[in-house]
Amino acid sequence: DAGVTQSPTHLIKTRGQQVTLRCSPISGHKSVSWYQQVLGQGPQFIFQYYEKEERGRGNFPDRFSARQFPNYSSELNVNALLLGDSALYLCASSLRGADTQYFGPGTRLTVL
Amino acid sequence: AQRVTQPEKLLSVFKGAPVELKCNYSYSGSPELFWYVQYSRQRLQLLLRHISRESIKGFTADLNKGETSFHLKKPFAQEEDSAMYYCALYNTDKLIFGTGTRLQVFP
């Protein structure tokens, strides 16, 4: 198993644009969580999905949205990008929401 | 509010020296605590989880509820231990991370 995979690896966007990030969990894992990691900080929780339902949401504006598909993969969407959205976006999967989370390599988003 | 504090941004030691990475938390209830490690150019990976009470790569961490601490320790540091270390607390639906401590082990 390749572990959690994320695409793309890097992304450059301009202010006001929209972006979609993708995540494939470890086979058999039904929960996916998204985190934002700004340089010099620890990861900050954005969303958790379990069995295609949103189970938790962090303190992020409504410009951030996500969904989970029947195959348990997930997408994170960010609208109306701001310079402050530049960060590493991490996806983590777990068997169930409360189990140990395993992280993907992240998507580096740069907003110009 | 639930919070994880790692007071040291950088910890530098020589090979063979003991290492202690500090982690304090605020949480009402029984905490579920983790240490994650990120080696250069690698993904964030689980180092240990307090409920398993395992020793991974020679590292241990003991939960001290009285001091609300979960410090990570290793008696003899190795150069390959150089990495970024994050302490994290699981709460309901999310991991709450500290800001991380960079460990540098010099030869």
Side-chain angles (χ1 to χ4, degrees), chain A residues 72-111:
Chain A
Y72 302 108
S73 67
S74 178
E75 286 183 351
L76 175 70
N77 294 284
V78 187
N79 294 322
L81 286 167
L82 303 174
L83 295 179
D85 294 331
S86 295
L88 181 68
Y89 288 85
L90 297 170
C91 173
S93 78
S94 57
L95 281 170
R96 296 173 299 271
D99 293 313
T100 298
Q101 296 188 12
Y102 297 89
F103 284 82
T107 293
R108 172 74 60 187
L109 172 64
T110 302
V111 182

Side-chain angles (χ1 to χ4, degrees), chain B residues 3-106:
Chain B
R3 186 167 55 239
V4 174
T5 302
Q6 294 180 252
E8 303 143 327
K9 284 189 178 296
L10 175 65
L11 183 63
S12 299
V13 301
F14 286 100
K15 177 182 172 181
V19 169
E20 181 177 76
L21 300 170
K22 291 183 168 50
C23 172
N24 288 90
Y25 66 90
S26 65
Y27 183 75
S28 54
S30 294
E32 193 166 352
L33 289 156
F34 301 79
W35 276 98
Y36 280 84
V37 60
Q38 190 166 31
Y39 300 102
S40 179
R41 298 188 186 88
Q42 294 188 26
R43 66 183 65 192
L44 199 60
Q45 57 186 278
L46 179 69
L47 182 62
L48 57 80
R49 182 176 182 178
H50 93 272
I51 61 171
S52 65
R53 302 188 67 79
E54 291 178 331
S55 173
I56 307 296
K57 298 185 179 182
F59 284 97
T60 59
D62 289 320
L63 176 61
N64 185 323
K65 291 186 178 181
E67 296 183 357
T68 60
S69 68
F70 188 55
H71 302 329
L72 184 68
K73 299 178 183 179
K74 185 170 183 177
F76 307 104
Q78 303 298 315
E79 288 179 66
E80 56 265 30
D81 295 329
S82 295
M84 196 73 185
Y85 291 80
Y86 294 95
C87 182
L89 167 71
Y90 188 82
N91 177 31
T92 307
D93 54 6
K94 60 184 173 290
L95 285 169
I96 300 169
F97 285 88
T99 52
T101 297
R102 180 168 298 282
L103 175 64
Q104 288 183 332
V105 181
F106 295 109

Side-chain angles (χ1 to χ4, degrees), chain A residues 9-64:
Chain A
T9 306
H10 297 91
L11 206 50
I12 299 176
K13 293 285 188 179
T14 56
R15 281 178 295 174
Q17 285 189 310
Q18 175 265 340
V19 69
T20 298
L21 310 180
R22 295 176 176 82
C23 171
S24 292
I26 292 171
S27 177
H29 285 193
K30 298 182 177 181
S31 180
V32 168
S33 299
W34 287 95
Y35 294 82
Q36 181 196 64
Q37 187 173 20
V38 174
L39 198 62
Q41 299 293 321
Q44 297 290 315
F45 173 73
I46 310 175
F47 286 109
Q48 184 184 83
Y49 277 78
Y50 176 62
E51 288 281 17
K52 301 177 285 296
E53 291 189 3
E54 182 182 303
R55 289 301 179 92
R57 183 184 183 117
N59 188 25
F60 281 81
D62 291 344
R63 299 185 295 109
F64 288 76

